[in-house]
Amino acid sequence: MSAPTSASAQALVDDVAARIAAHDDVTRPFVTLSWAQSLDGSMANAPEASGERLMLSGSASMAMTHGLRAMHDAILVGRGTVTGDNPRLTVRLAADGSAVDVAAAQQ
C-alpha cells in the first residue's frame, strides 16, 4: 500500500491494521467508521447546478482513506451518498486491496 503523506495518517492506518489482525471474534465483524466534515461539523451537500463538488479531504486524508479501504472487505455507504455523489468506492490510492461496495437504502 502506498504510504499516506503524513506521519499521523500512517500511524492511524498502522493502528487499524494491527487491530484487524488481532480481531478474532468470528461472530462479529470488524467495523471502521470514516467520514469527512468541514470545520463547522457539516458534511458536503450534493453538487449544485454548477456541478462542482465540495472537497472536504486533502491529499493526506484521501491517502489514509484508501489505505483503510485496502484493509477492509466492504465499504458501506447510504443511499444519499450514492444518489448525491455517485462515489467510486474503489481502492485507487493504495497498491493492494479491493473492497466490495455495499449501499444501504431505506425501503
Side-chain angles (χ1 to χ4, degrees):
M1 144 183 13
S2 62
T5 57
S6 75
S8 60
Q10 183 61 52
L12 178 63
V13 170
D14 292 344
D15 181 59
V16 171
R19 290 171 186 262
I20 290 172
H23 181 71
D24 61 0
D25 184 350
V26 297
T27 63
R28 295 177 185 236
F30 185 90
V31 177
T32 303
L33 299 176
S34 176
W35 66 92
Q37 68 184 40
S38 64
L39 291 174
D40 68 358
S42 300
M43 295 190 179
N45 292 329
E48 299 298 325
S50 67
E52 293 183 36
R53 292 181 60 196
L54 174 62
M55 296 300 293
L56 296 176
S57 301
S59 60
S61 64
M62 290 296 285
M64 181 195 69
T65 297
H66 285 265
L68 292 173
R69 285 181 182 184
M71 289 186 271
H72 288 78
D73 296 325
I75 301 169
L76 174 69
V77 296
R79 180 182 64 185
T81 298
V82 172
T83 58
D85 198 27
N86 192 22
R88 292 183 295 163
L89 301 173
T90 59
V91 180
R92 298 180 302 280
L93 303 178
D96 299 324
S98 58
V100 174
D101 54 313
V102 179
Q106 182 179 9
Q107 292 195 4

